[in-house]
Amino acid sequence: MHLGEISGLSLGAATRDAFGDALKELGATNQHIVTVDGDVGNSTRTEPFALAHPDRAFNVGIAESNMVSVAGGLAACGKIPVVASFACFLMDNAFDQIRMSVAFPQLNVKLVGSHAGISIGEDGPSQMGIEDVALACSLPGLTVVVPSDAACTKEATRACLEHDGPTYLRVGRGKVATIYPKGCPFELGKAITVREGTDATIIANGLMVAAAIDAATLCEPLGISCRVIDLHTIKPIDRDAIAAAARETGAIVVAEEHLQHGGLGSAVAQVVVETAPVPMRFVNVGDQYAESGDPQGLLDKYGLTAKAVADAVQEAHGSK
Amino acid sequence: MSKLSLDELKSKAKVIRELIIRITTEAGSGHPTSSLSAADVVTALYFGGFMKFDPKKPADPDRDRFVLSKGHACPVLYSAMAEAGYFTVDEIMTLRKLGSPWEGHPNMRRLPGIEASTGSLGQGLSIGIGHALAARIDGKSYHTYVMMGDGEMGEGQVWEAIAAAHKYALNNLTAIIDQNGYQQTGATKEVLDLTAFQPKLEAFGWHVQTIAGNDMAEVVKALETANGIKDRPTCIVSRTQKGFPVVPLLEAEGDPNYHGKPFSKELAKKAIAMLG
Ligand SMILES: Cc1ncc(C[n+]2csc(CCOP(=O)(O)OP(=O)(O)O)c2C)c(N)n1
Ligand SMILES: [Mg+2]
């Protein structure tokens, strides 16, 4: 049973595939776009672009530090470098290079972390990016985007490439539910309300948006009407949408495929506390590393489920 | 830029050394000795006809690039750039003061003509590769020079970059290692001995020259030779003295490395006198 199935959402493409398709499409017309890879282009899906434009694609080997700083140099010369690796190898391994060669000089580098979250499955915790959002959000001036489905990723990729400044786009390995069958009304920094509701709000990103929609479906017969917000851009954050949700629904649950500290939950809580304090609950991986296993089994075991989100909603709602 | 004669270059290097000492002593902090060792190479690059640049057009896409990877030596860069007309001497005298864009390490967002924000050692050669690859994509003929410290060579990223520059046969890239024999906590031979740079770089497929880097004639000759190499990246291992030419004064102070310490007013006076 995939996330979103309870609500009848069908399974769509993986967000990394949507990113790869969008990159290839946009790279065909924008000659400034180049890629810098660290020997995982066939995993991150920069490969279709690289094969189409070998003159604008650089694979520097398993050398993430060099990869990121090379991109900084290319950006300083007016290129739009897309630097993709597994989220953990990019963000964690090359964090100082992202700080000094990208964020501090505010260079127009497009960072893309694939294989984010525990849902990568069998490869296990060494390959799971679950602290990447916290690291990314800590850097001044870095736009941080976690799209929920293929359509959202396509628009997010376009928006990141068009944005003048450094960005981090987080994509996943496996197929995810289709949230936007008719296309995604994506705008950087602007939350999308995917379902209206009056009694509580679930704010989610990535594959947890599908879990949030399912949770809303589960809460309906209990008499709790849930608003669901896809908060794809964590930085800069949509304060108005969060404050309005807190004021209008009085309870907030945040769901994300990330460690408990420093991700979407922390960012939303900061805004809620500053604008309209209401009861909150958080669904995430917790303060621990996961393990190997099948993706669905991992999501179940580590509590990234529709039921966990629905339980959190009842708790938050119940403590109003 | 005008191309100075050998004698003129030697005088220019003296002027730049005096500025290095004056601005760091005025600041009361900074890295004068790391800057002094590099002064001859930097002088030759800016005034020996090797780099084409126009201080009035610091963002000219065709300009040659100089990336100071050992960013703590920025007093040598600020001083050379002041002499070249990017800044005034009065301006660089504000080094390290609150509000001054002449920060303790180069900040490309605050100053024209600075090619990279450095200070975290190990990243400059990779950034230079980015510039060199961009030149290739754009069919431009500019050259990128990157200066690193010998202690900085301990960073793994430098060796990632050395391998990548060879992969792309970057004939428009020249690395200079300012081999002054010291890093922060002592002699590089004792801290982490990587001193046989020439065979290491050659094994990575680079063209390498080892020179006496405080001898202007050798510096000029090496930069000319580097210009003639058309099939691969080049490296100049520039053997220098940290604090050149005032090392005897530093030895008398009991600290020949004198890393990250400004000269007192008195020491600065003696050092400037010693420049001749
Ligand atoms: C990544 C990093 N680690 C440590 C430092 C602190 N640091 C500043 S200068 C320096 C020594 C540099 O030695 P070297 O590269 O030989 O340059 P020199 O001062 O001798 O010219 C150190 C360790 C730093 N700036 N960056
Ligand atoms: Mg040294």
Side-chain angles (χ1 to χ4, degrees), chain B residues 29-154:
Chain B
S29 68
H31 300 74
T33 56
S34 308
S35 306
L36 289 169
S37 62
D40 302 290
V41 169
V42 174
T43 301
L45 283 173
Y46 277 87
F47 301 98
F50 293 103
M51 290 205 338
K52 55 177 184 310
F53 62 90
D54 179 353
K56 289 191 202 67
K57 287 192 277 176
D60 180 356
D62 293 316
R63 73 194 183 280
D64 287 331
R65 273 78 160 159
F66 176 61
V67 175
L68 183 65
S69 190
K70 47 172 253 182
H72 59 284
C74 59
V76 68
L77 181 59
Y78 298 160
S79 299
M81 289 175 75
E83 281 297 303
Y86 285 92
F87 324 126
T88 66
V89 168
D90 281 351
E91 283 175 325
I92 66 170
M93 281 296 167
T94 64
L95 176 71
R96 289 172 165 255
K97 296 263 162 46
L98 189 63
S100 169
W102 288 274
E103 295 192 16
H105 293 79
N107 181 341
M108 67 182 286
R109 281 285 163 247
R110 295 188 73 184
L111 289 174
I114 300 286
E115 302 293 356
S117 297
T118 52
S120 183
L121 293 165
Q123 302 189 23
L125 187 58
S126 304
I127 293 169
I129 289 173
H131 284 264
L133 289 173
R136 180 166 294 174
I137 298 170
D138 292 337
K140 291 192 176 298
S141 61
Y142 63 80
H143 200 92
T144 300
Y145 296 91
V146 179
M147 175 178 275
M148 294 173 289
D150 50 356
E152 180 179 8
M153 298 301 286

Side-chain angles (χ1 to χ4, degrees), chain B residues 152-218:
Chain B
E152 180 179 8
M153 298 301 286
E155 285 287 353
Q157 181 180 358
V158 173
W159 300 94
E160 298 177 2
I162 288 168
H166 169 253
K167 168 177 176 178
Y168 293 105
L170 293 175
N171 58 359
N172 53 358
L173 179 72
T174 297
I176 299 136
I177 303 171
D178 184 31
Q179 189 178 19
N180 57 25
Y182 284 99
Q183 51 199 99
Q184 182 162 323
T185 54
T188 51
K189 274 207 161 81
E190 280 150 30
V191 179
L192 184 66
D193 191 2
L194 292 159
T195 41
F197 290 123
Q198 175 136 5
K200 289 188 177 72
L201 271 287
E202 281 172 350
F204 275 86
W206 284 52
H207 176 273
V208 189
Q209 309 170 69
T210 299
I211 64 158
N214 292 134
D215 178 332
M216 188 61 84
E218 283 209 25

Side-chain angles (χ1 to χ4, degrees), chain A residues 6-85:
Chain A
I6 294 172
S7 312
L9 304 182
S10 60
L11 213 49
T15 51
R16 62 170 166 154
D17 286 316
F19 153 71
D21 291 348
L23 173 64
K24 188 179 174 200
E25 186 187 320
L26 298 164
T29 50
N30 187 340
Q31 300 299 313
H32 295 303
I33 294 173
V34 303
T35 51
V36 191
D37 285 304
D39 200 34
V40 288
N42 50 351
S43 302
T44 62
R45 305 299 198 233
T46 53
E47 189 170 65
F49 169 91
L51 290 174
H53 307 284
D55 50 325
R56 288 192 271 140
F58 306 101
N59 179 359
V60 297
I62 310 162
E64 290 77 14
S65 307
N66 183 48
M67 172 181 78
V68 168
S69 297
V70 166
L74 283 159
C77 298
K79 301 296 160 205
I80 305 175
V82 176
V83 185
S85 182

